[in-house]
Amino acid sequence: MSKKTVERPVFPFTGIVGQEEMKLSLILNVIDPKIGGVMIMGDRGTGKSTIVRALVDLLPPIDVVENDPYNSDPYDTELMSDDVLDKLKNNQEISVIQIKTPMIDLPLGATEDRVCGTIDIEKAISEGKKAFEPGLLAQANRGILYVDEVNLLDDHLVDVLLDSAASGWNTVEREGISICHPAKFILVGSGNPEEGELRPQLLDRFGMHAQIKTVKDPGLRVKIVQQRELFERNPKDFKLKYQAEQDKLMERIVNARKNLKEIEISYDLLEKISKVCSELNVDGLRGDMVTSRAAKALVAFENRFEVTPKDIFTIITLCLRHRLRKDPLESIDSGSKVQETFRNIFAI
């Protein structure tokens, strides 16, 4: 008798109360992965991992080459492993199946070999073959890689993750042998600020930064607790209750992905975004680019075709707050500083 894979019930995204900032950041990254991922900082027990896991349920299934460890895209050479590419060049037939968008959890104690994969040097020398054991980056290709407590992860490992997320490729080199495979994923990191911040150089490489605060309103807190209890009592019925909303949101995301290339942003708005970044002393141009991309993704999500100052205001704090230089003597919150500078330059 064949065993059925039992899936852990996932809390529906549309059933989550509050935390709008985090939900918006995740949705925009799913629409345009080039935004560069999300860093979520917040108190313990605020539902960070619940929201990330719920996001995967909103994503449509993907076509992959069967039995390929890298979730190779059968139609896009940029997202294919060398083996699949060779088969196509030799006109060999490849079998295509559909799978759920992968969501990979990176455990805190993971080693570099576990993350990047390992090369069997002995086999490579004795048999002349590149014997490679793929790691978590291979499994995360075309999906989401979630790192909880990313601020406790070794800086070098965070660097490796960010490099792969930015380039879409993972390269492993051992004893003069080199293996390269596609590793294009949305990187989502979460952490508790009490346990320390990431180094500014690493923090800057995350596209967006969402802050999660514990809900203070007693009515809302009760609602969150009730939602959780209802879900745990009967996950199937609870999910069914939100199915129509989930389908609607999934449709919006799919349409936004299709329309993204049509979205326009005027030169005047781009110039004002750059003025805000310059005024805030943001290093490099990553802040300018991410703000422009996120504004376009928001417009696509709302099924419009032109970016307005209001769209930029909605996302600019999420794109810039973590890029500001920290001044220990300054009492003003970095998010408030971004908004204040925006209002001055956009005259709103």
Side-chain angles (χ1 to χ4, degrees):
M1 207 172 91
S2 65
K3 282 184 183 178
K4 275 192 173 178
T5 52
V6 181
E7 282 195 4
R8 186 172 57 172
V10 177
F11 198 93
F13 195 88
T14 49
I16 292 162
V17 178
Q19 309 300 17
E20 301 307 320
E21 194 174 280
M22 177 177 170
K23 288 195 279 193
L24 181 65
S25 302
L26 290 169
I27 286 170
L28 297 184
N29 269 273
V30 161
I31 292 167
D32 183 3
K34 286 181 181 170
I35 286 170
V38 191
M39 178 67 196
I40 302 152
M41 282 304 241
D43 307 328
R44 285 180 295 271
T46 44
K48 296 188 288 289
S49 51
T50 300
I51 299 176
V52 177
R53 289 189 178 91
L55 178 75
V56 184
D57 259 13
L58 290 174
L59 305 180
I62 57 171
D63 287 339
V64 298
V65 175
E66 195 172 11
N67 298 324
D68 180 82
Y70 310 101
N71 306 320
S72 285
D73 188 323
Y75 316 111
D76 185 350
T77 52
E78 279 293 300
L79 296 167
M80 261 179 214
S81 66
D82 288 345
D83 287 349
V84 175
L85 206 53
D86 288 343
K87 281 180 183 175
L88 283 179
K89 281 176 184 170
N90 298 325
N91 294 321
Q92 284 178 258
E93 213 170 295
I94 54 171
S95 175
V96 178
I97 57 165
Q98 274 201 336
I99 64 162
K100 199 176 171 187
T101 298
M103 153 96 183
I104 304 299
D105 270 299
L106 190 136
L108 195 55
T111 60
E112 190 177 342
D113 282 351
R114 177 80 184 94
V115 174
C116 301
T118 52
I119 298 171
D120 188 334
I121 303 293
E122 278 182 39
K123 197 172 180 182
I125 293 167
S126 61
E127 296 178 27
K129 288 179 183 172
K130 287 184 176 182
F132 181 62
E133 186 63 45
L136 295 173
L137 294 183
Q139 294 171 36
N141 187 33
R142 303 176 64 209
I144 293 169
L145 182 66
Y146 176 52
V147 190
D148 196 10
E149 308 290 2
V150 69
N151 46 337
L152 299 182
L153 207 61
D154 179 61
D155 275 358
H156 169 64
L157 215 47
V158 179
D159 232 349
V160 168
L161 295 177
L162 288 161
D163 278 343
S164 291
S167 67
W169 290 89
N170 173 42
T171 305
V172 182
E173 290 180 345
R174 298 282 185 278
E175 312 287 332
I177 296 167
S178 179
I179 301 270
C180 197
H181 70 78
K184 199 169 189 175
F185 51 84
I186 298 165
L187 181 63
V188 180
S190 68
N192 180 354
E194 286 175 14
E195 287 159 352
E197 285 275 359
L198 270 181
R199 282 195 292 121
Q201 304 92 300
L202 295 176
L203 203 51
D204 170 67
R205 291 176 62 186
F206 277 91
M208 301 177 92
H209 186 288
Q211 280 183 354
I212 306 296
K213 291 190 168 66
T214 305
V215 176
K216 297 284 186 247
D217 179 80
L220 262 182
R221 287 174 81 116
V222 169
K223 194 177 179 188
I224 293 165
V225 172
Q226 285 176 331
Q227 288 281 82
R228 191 75 221 180
E229 283 177 353
L230 284 169
F231 172 71
E232 283 169 5
R233 203 175 300 154
N234 195 331
K236 206 174 173 184
D237 280 2
F238 189 83
K239 286 188 83 168
L240 215 59
K241 181 181 160 191
Y242 285 95
Q243 198 55 55
E245 281 182 65
Q246 290 277 107
D247 292 344
K248 202 173 165 185
L249 185 51
M250 187 192 279
E251 199 180 320
R252 281 181 74 186
I253 289 169
V254 171
N255 284 339
R257 280 173 162 182
K258 283 180 196 164
N259 295 336
L260 192 60
K261 286 180 183 171
E262 312 297 319
I263 311 301
E264 291 186 3
I265 181 164
S266 71
Y267 180 83
D268 177 54
L269 291 182
L270 285 172
E271 197 175 33
K272 283 178 175 170
I273 289 169
S274 289
K275 275 183 184 171
V276 172
C277 293
S278 179
E279 192 86 13
L280 291 166
N281 291 319
V282 172
D283 291 331
L285 295 173
R286 201 173 272 131
D288 310 48
M289 289 191 279
V290 169
T291 304
S292 163
R293 281 191 188 283
K296 285 182 181 179
L298 176 64
V299 170
F301 182 58
E302 293 185 351
N303 201 20
R304 292 180 286 110
F305 289 90
E306 202 168 330
V307 176
T308 67
K310 186 173 179 274
D311 298 319
I312 296 166
F313 182 70
T314 305
I315 53 88
I316 197 164
T317 306
L318 296 166
C319 300
L320 298 183
R321 66 148 68 96
H322 56 303
R323 303 179 199 279
L324 271 53
R325 290 178 193 167
K326 296 271 189 297
D327 182 350
L329 300 174
E330 209 165 13
S331 57
I332 187 166
D333 171 63
S334 55
S336 307
K337 199 174 177 183
V338 172
Q339 288 171 9
E340 192 184 303
T341 308
F342 172 90
R343 287 194 178 97
N344 290 340
I345 285 165
F346 279 76
I348 289 176

